[in-house]
Amino acid sequence: MKTSPIRNLARLAVANRVSGIYLALVGGAMAVAALTPLFADSPDASLIWVWPALFTFPAFGFVAWLGEGGWGGDAPAWFFIGGIVVSALVQSLALGAVWQGLRGRRGNRGHLTAAN
């Protein structure tokens, strides 16, 4: 039975240990960033959004570049939050592919026996 390419991509991006841990880290950082301004009185509370952006940095750099080019530095919040989500999914896919590649390579080594 052959699985669809979309299902394979989704499995790489979400359904493995490494991607799950990464997505939980980014999701936790986004939850903390969303809740901190509700409970903090400091005007610097909005700077907490730097952490989710840093956790998704290589891909989020492209999103920041698009926001700067498209809106001249005044991009709406939905663009950056959506960019963090998309960047996390792209990087999760890359982590899943690397994880599968490493596990597949380890599994193809074969077993050593006395005859080898």
Side-chain angles (χ1 to χ4, degrees):
M1 176 182 226
K2 188 174 180 178
T3 60
S4 72
I6 302 282
R7 178 174 258 173
N8 286 336
L9 287 176
R11 187 176 296 138
L12 283 176
V14 180
N16 62 62
R17 187 175 302 150
V18 176
S19 295
I21 291 170
Y22 174 72
L23 289 174
L25 176 73
V26 174
M30 288 185 71
V32 168
L35 292 174
T36 297
L38 297 176
F39 300 111
D41 294 333
S42 130
D44 295 335
S46 64
L47 290 177
I48 194 75
W49 280 99
V50 169
W51 288 105
L54 285 177
F55 288 145
T56 59
F57 177 67
F60 187 74
F62 182 69
V63 173
W65 177 74
L66 284 176
E68 182 70 30
W71 283 280
D74 247 354
W78 63 263
F79 179 77
F80 285 117
I81 293 171
I84 290 171
V85 171
V86 170
S87 298
L89 289 174
V90 166
Q91 290 185 176
S92 176
L93 175 65
L95 284 170
V98 168
W99 178 251
Q100 181 183 12
L102 290 174
R103 290 193 67 196
R105 202 177 286 164
R106 184 178 66 187
N108 290 337
R109 282 190 298 197
H111 298 288
L112 292 177
T113 62
N116 290 346

